Amino acid sequence: MFSEPIISIINYLLAGIYVLSSLIYGKHFFSKSNSETTLRILSFILVFVIVLQFLYFLIRGIVYKHAPITTPFEIMTLLAFCITVTYFIIELKTGVTQTGFFIISIAAIFQIVSSIFIEELDKINPVLNSWLLGFHVAFALAGYSAIVISGIYGFLYLKMYNHIKSNKPSNFYKKLPSLFLLEKLAKTSILFGFAFLTFTIIIGIIWLPMAIEEFSYTDPKLITTFAVWIVYLLGYISIKIYRTESRTTMKLALLGLVFAVCSILIVNFLFESFHRFY
Amino acid sequence: MIKIPSHKHPVIFSVGINHKTAPLEVREKISINEENLPDVLNCYKDVLKECMIISTCNRTEIYGVTNGSGFDSEYIKHKLIEYTGAGDTVNPGHFYELILGSSAAQLFNVASSLDSMVVGDSQVIHQVKRSYQVASENGFTGKVLNQIVQKALHAAKKVKSSTSLFEGAFSISYAAVELAAKIFGDLKNLTALVIGAGETAELTLDNLIKKNIKKVYITNRTRKNAEDLLKKLNGSGTTECEILEFSDFKNSVFQADIIISSTGASNYVLKYDEYKKIVKKKKGEPVLIIDIAVPRDIDPEIDKFGNVFLKNIDDLNSIVDDNFEKRMSVIPEAEKIIRFELMEFLNWYYTIPVQPAIQFIQANSNGQAGSQIKEIRNFLTENIAGIYNKITFGAGSSNEELNHYYGLIEKLEQINQSFNRQVNGG
């Protein structure tokens, strides 16, 4: 009875907390001094937002009896969650807090759009009950989170590189971690993104023809996912085989992110696809 | 252009090129190695009474005292350009020129590091001291330079001990290691190549070893200097150190992630075409090359390789300076100290023409003599304050300063003559 208002409150609360944490991460990056209090607040907020969002998915799952993968806006909140959790792990492992602003801000954008437009469908497509779909979506989200993170670290690498090359004493130079670490994080994310997208495509190819009668290999969503995968395959080859200069790989990571975001937006909102369940 | 006609009273001046008047490309052409300083000083022995040259990465400045036979600053510049063979790059317009109080203030600011590209660079005190020693050992200093350098160094030491201007100050060695950390993060698995065995190379090497760099190659034209440098290091911890023959070091360049070069060579030690072959062996791995030599050791074209970060002394100065604002805040405090010491020097300097009289008065001290000295002192105190303000606020030209100086001396001599007449009953 009270569950829907609670879901709605948490939905907007999540958007607010994402905005707040982006602002605090921004202050942490742009201010001249780093206070211990800010760092403590950031750690608390990050854990709080992850726990709250997990509870949100749990309550939604109990109330609506499906995973949050039925509409683009459910996917967006899930993507925000995946990005935040991945960033949290990176922050824990590296101790680097200065890149938070750039990553949490992107997660915040996904969450805000989701919070504004999310709504429950009257009828859920039975296809969405498949367990294979669960894996398919989970891998796709993990892959796209890795793509977002690799793109952001690629961008930060290029900023840092330019500041060092051109001798500009800037906040980027002072606050960002070493080029080596930015490169490592971007490259690791590219490799994870590539691996997860590969699994997504493999599971999709196994599951989609079985689950959907009107399955077609010319579906725009399939084509764009495959195109994104090709971009990351090139990234993988450039890193592992050709040992391309880091700057080129980082440009590829950034281009990959732009390409992935644009193609997903265009395909989801402009094209009709069998690969749509709402 | 400063032209001083023949005058019995010597005038102190400074002529030079520094980071405010010319970029590194120009400065490096006119810089002079310590071993060549006596030769350059010799070029001026006929026209100057006293002379010293401060040549560092930020400046090549000549401080001198005229010998009374007339002075032309253009001659000083042309001799320097001629000696260094820098005529293609350097022209007289790159020089600044100052006389009297302004030149004294310049030396005080240089010694206290207020005129450094990075304020608070403590190495400059040592460099001024060393320049003075070379001039002194070769017989180019006299009472004016002795006094001014002593006062300038005293002021610098006072600034160092009484203010925080030199605290946490930028140094090339610090900047080099800081920049390496910004590129590579951890230095534990890196290899450095140090070309040259000078003081800055030693400090940088010391800092790299403190960061537990894996391996260091040292090479120097004179192998013994490299060996001495290795001995000087306070234990190399986990770092493996090896000396390379200077003739062979290019074969090992590809192994280095960090290259620090600080030789006194007049040509590039590492050229673009040579590095082109090396960069292929690096397989895209980043390389930080720090060229702290003036003139530069490394061909600047090498910076065009994407994964090469080539930094010269100006680049390092502009990119790494964490304590800039903190040090800027204590400048007024430092200026106060310099003002006091500079006024003391000017008081002494302006009484040079009447020094024999003052000494005579002091030796034959009586009430009348005491009041005479007091009159001179009061007269000077009033005028020196005015001179200082003019120097500080940059008012007036060198000619005005010179005329003011001659006017002052004339008045001092008049005071002195009137006293002599009273003593002699004239």
Side-chain angles (χ1 to χ4, degrees):
Chain A
M1 186 182 162
F2 297 108
S3 51
E4 288 207 356
I6 288 172
I7 288 170
S8 178
I9 289 168
I10 298 178
N11 177 39
Y12 287 112
L13 189 61
L14 272 173
I17 295 171
Y18 266 104
V19 170
L20 182 68
S21 41
S22 299
L23 289 175
I24 300 174
Y25 268 114
K27 182 181 174 285
H28 179 53
F29 181 79
F30 291 106
S31 66
K32 283 178 185 167
S33 57
N34 292 332
S35 86
E36 281 295 314
T37 321
T38 312
L39 284 174
R40 273 198 290 272
I41 292 170
L42 281 173
S43 303
F44 172 76
I45 289 189
L46 209 56
V47 173
F48 180 70
V49 81
I50 289 170
V51 171
L52 187 71
Q53 202 157 11
F54 180 75
L55 282 175
Y56 173 69
F57 294 137
L58 200 67
I59 296 168
R60 280 187 72 94
I62 293 166
V63 174
Y64 300 130
K65 295 185 176 46
H66 64 81
I69 53 171
T70 59
T71 68
F73 303 109
E74 281 189 343
I75 301 276
M76 277 187 187
T77 180
L78 203 53
L79 190 57
F81 179 71
C82 287
I83 292 170
T84 307
V85 170
T86 313
Y87 172 72
F88 179 65
I89 294 165
I90 289 171
E91 196 179 292
L92 272 184
K93 283 199 80 176
T94 62
V96 174
T97 52
Q98 278 82 5
T99 57
F101 170 68
F102 302 94
I103 292 170
I104 298 301
S105 299
I106 300 290
I109 292 168
F110 284 122
Q111 184 55 48
I112 291 164
V113 175
S114 168
S115 293
I116 295 169
F117 298 106
I118 197 166
E119 55 184 11
E120 184 56 17
L121 297 176
D122 297 333
K123 197 181 167 195
I124 304 294
N125 192 324
V127 166
L128 298 173
N129 292 323
S130 163
W131 62 270
L132 263 176
L133 176 75
F135 282 115
H136 176 67
V137 173
F139 280 126
L141 284 174
Y144 280 109
S145 301
I147 284 172
V148 170
I149 288 170
S150 72
I152 294 168
Y153 280 123
F155 165 76
L156 293 177
Y157 176 96
L158 292 171
K159 281 294 271 184
M160 183 74 161
Y161 175 92
N162 287 334
H163 281 264
I164 294 179
K165 264 289 198 196
S166 59
N167 309 315
K168 284 182 197 157
S170 66
N171 219 36
F172 278 94
Y173 177 83
K174 283 180 189 157
K175 293 288 184 80
L176 288 179
S178 66
L179 273 181
F180 172 79
L181 185 60
L182 290 170
E183 183 186 338
K184 192 178 161 191
L185 290 169
K187 283 184 173 175
T188 310
S189 305
I190 290 171
L191 298 183
F192 272 103
F194 174 68
F196 283 126
L197 276 187
T198 308
F199 288 128
T200 307
I201 289 171
I202 291 169
I203 294 171
I205 287 170
I206 296 168
W207 171 73
L208 282 169
M210 292 192 302
I212 302 157
E213 278 176 18
E214 63 269 38
F215 172 80
S216 160
Y217 283 109
T218 58
D219 179 76
K221 212 170 192 175
L222 279 188
I223 291 169
T224 50
T225 309
F226 193 68
V228 171
W229 183 80
I230 293 285
V231 169
Y232 281 83
L233 175 68
L234 291 176
Y236 180 85
I237 292 169
S238 85
I239 295 168
K240 287 288 176 190
I241 299 165
Y242 287 107
R243 291 176 168 270
T244 322
E245 198 184 289
S246 307
R247 210 164 29 127
T248 314
T249 314
M250 296 306 117
K251 281 179 186 167
L252 260 180
L254 192 54
L255 273 174
L257 170 64
V258 174
F259 181 67
V261 170
C262 292
S263 60
I264 288 167
L265 287 176
I266 292 166
V267 167
N268 272 299
F269 294 101
L270 297 181
F271 285 94
E272 275 303 315
S273 162
F274 74 83
H275 204 164
R276 180 182 276 190
F277 309 109
Y278 48 92
Chain B
M1 185 175 73
I2 299 173
K3 273 195 174 191
I4 304 173
S6 295
H7 196 282
K8 62 179 176 176
H9 296 302
V11 172
I12 183 167
F13 74 91
S14 61
V15 170
I17 283 183
N18 61 29
H19 62 97
K20 290 177 181 167
T21 65
L24 180 61
E25 294 77 38
V26 173
R27 289 185 339 252
E28 69 181 353
K29 298 286 179 198
I30 205 97
S31 75
I32 304 157
N33 282 337
E34 194 180 305
E35 56 263 36
N36 295 332
L37 283 177
D39 286 345
V40 188
L41 287 167
N42 260 321
C43 297
Y44 300 116
K45 73 175 178 195
D46 294 335
V47 290
L48 299 176
K49 194 175 179 185
E50 300 176 40
C51 185
M52 70 178 259
I53 299 169
I54 301 174
S55 190
T56 70
C57 51
N58 281 334
R59 68 193 70 247
T60 296
E61 294 177 343
I62 298 170
Y63 292 85
V65 180
T66 60
N67 62 8
S69 63
F71 166 82
D72 183 351
S73 60
E74 292 303 297
Y75 176 80
I76 304 290
K77 296 176 199 174
H78 283 298
K79 271 282 169 199
L80 189 60
I81 294 172
E82 190 184 292
Y83 180 85
T84 52
D88 292 344
T89 318
V90 184
N91 62 61
H94 286 122
F95 287 79
Y96 76 84
E97 42 194 40
L98 298 167
I99 57 164
L100 298 162
S102 305
S103 68
Q106 172 68 11
L107 182 62
F108 276 67
N109 285 334
V110 168
S112 303
S113 167
L114 286 189
D115 193 66
S116 293
M117 184 179 264
V118 177
V119 173
D121 175 9
S122 58
Q123 269 187 319
V124 75
I125 302 178
H126 173 73
Q127 287 162 337
V128 170
K129 207 186 280 178
R130 190 67 205 125
S131 304
Y132 170 71
Q133 274 170 358
V134 172
S136 181
E137 281 160 11
N138 288 279
F140 286 95
T141 56
K143 66 176 175 182
V144 177
L145 282 184
N146 289 346
Q147 185 74 3
I148 192 173
V149 174
Q150 193 193 328
K151 280 281 176 196
L153 289 174
H154 182 65
K157 282 173 193 164
K158 241 174 149 179
V159 169
K160 195 174 179 183
S161 60
S162 326
T163 73
S164 55
L165 191 76
F166 292 84
E167 276 174 26
F170 168 94
S171 71
I172 296 301
S173 53
Y174 165 79
V177 175
E178 193 75 357
L179 189 57
K182 274 289 173 193
I183 293 169
F184 301 103
D186 199 346
L187 308 186
K188 280 177 188 160
N189 293 317
L190 303 182
T191 299
L193 166 66
V194 179
I195 311 167
E199 190 193 350
T200 315
E202 182 188 333
L203 289 169
T204 314
L205 201 50
D206 200 31
N207 277 327
L208 287 172
I209 288 171
K210 277 180 192 152
K211 293 269 180 185
N212 296 321
I213 192 158
K214 190 178 162 195
K215 188 164 184 174
V216 172
Y217 291 111
I218 305 169
T219 186
N220 195 63
R221 219 175 279 274
T222 313
R223 187 183 167 93
K224 193 184 172 301
N225 291 351
E227 286 168 352
D228 289 346
L229 172 62
L230 207 56
K231 276 182 209 156
K232 265 193 220 169
L233 296 168
N234 249 348
S236 54
T238 54
T239 305
E240 194 187 327
C241 296
E242 191 181 324
I243 294 174
L244 298 175
E245 287 302 329
F246 194 78
S247 53
D248 278 349
F249 87 88
K250 284 174 192 168
N251 295 328
S252 303
V253 169
F254 79 95
Q255 293 183 52
D257 304 292
I258 302 169
I259 300 169
I260 297 149
S261 195
S262 62
T263 76
S266 49
N267 294 316
Y268 294 140
V269 169
L270 200 55
K271 295 189 184 90
Y272 178 82
D273 288 337
E274 291 168 330
Y275 199 79
K276 207 172 174 180
K277 292 167 196 157
I278 294 161
V279 89
K280 283 180 189 159
K281 292 185 185 172
K282 288 302 290 180
K283 292 178 182 166
E285 292 293 318
V287 181
L288 170 63
I289 306 177
I290 293 172
D291 184 359
I292 41 187
V294 179
R296 286 173 291 179
D297 282 341
I298 314 288
D299 188 344
E301 292 286 300
I302 289 175
D303 193 45
K304 286 183 179 164
F305 293 111
N307 266 12
V308 174
F309 299 92
L310 170 60
K311 301 295 161 194
N312 62 40
I313 206 128
D314 283 6
D315 301 333
L316 288 175
N317 286 339
S318 63
I319 199 166
V320 186
D321 195 3
D322 285 346
N323 296 300
F324 176 78
E325 282 172 22
K326 190 181 158 197
R327 295 203 311 283
M328 286 298 113
S329 67
V330 296
I331 283 183
E333 223 179 303
E335 282 175 338
K336 209 169 152 188
I337 293 168
I338 289 172
R339 179 194 156 95
F340 179 80
E341 296 295 329
L342 182 59
M343 298 270 279
E344 286 243 314
F345 168 76
L346 292 175
N347 259 306
W348 172 85
Y349 176 71
Y350 277 72
T351 55
I352 290 175
V354 286
Q355 271 301 325
I358 290 175
Q359 276 161 13
F360 175 80
I361 294 162
Q362 278 170 338
N364 304 283
S365 185
N366 57 41
Q368 204 181 3
S371 70
Q372 178 64 17
I373 293 175
K374 207 175 167 188
E375 195 181 340
I376 292 172
R377 293 258 183 256
N378 286 342
F379 175 76
L380 273 171
T381 306
E382 282 164 25
N383 280 280
I384 298 292
I387 290 166
Y388 180 84
N389 288 337
K390 273 192 175 176
I391 297 166
T392 311
F393 299 111
S397 64
S398 294
N399 279 339
E400 283 173 34
E401 205 174 336
L402 191 65
N403 290 335
H404 191 213
Y405 171 65
Y406 288 148
L408 266 176
I409 291 170
E410 210 174 299
K411 278 181 190 164
L412 282 170
E413 283 175 337
Q414 279 168 12
I415 296 170
N416 194 37
Q417 278 162 13
S418 86
F419 170 73
N420 285 341
R421 279 197 294 275
Q422 284 167 34
V423 169
N424 299 328

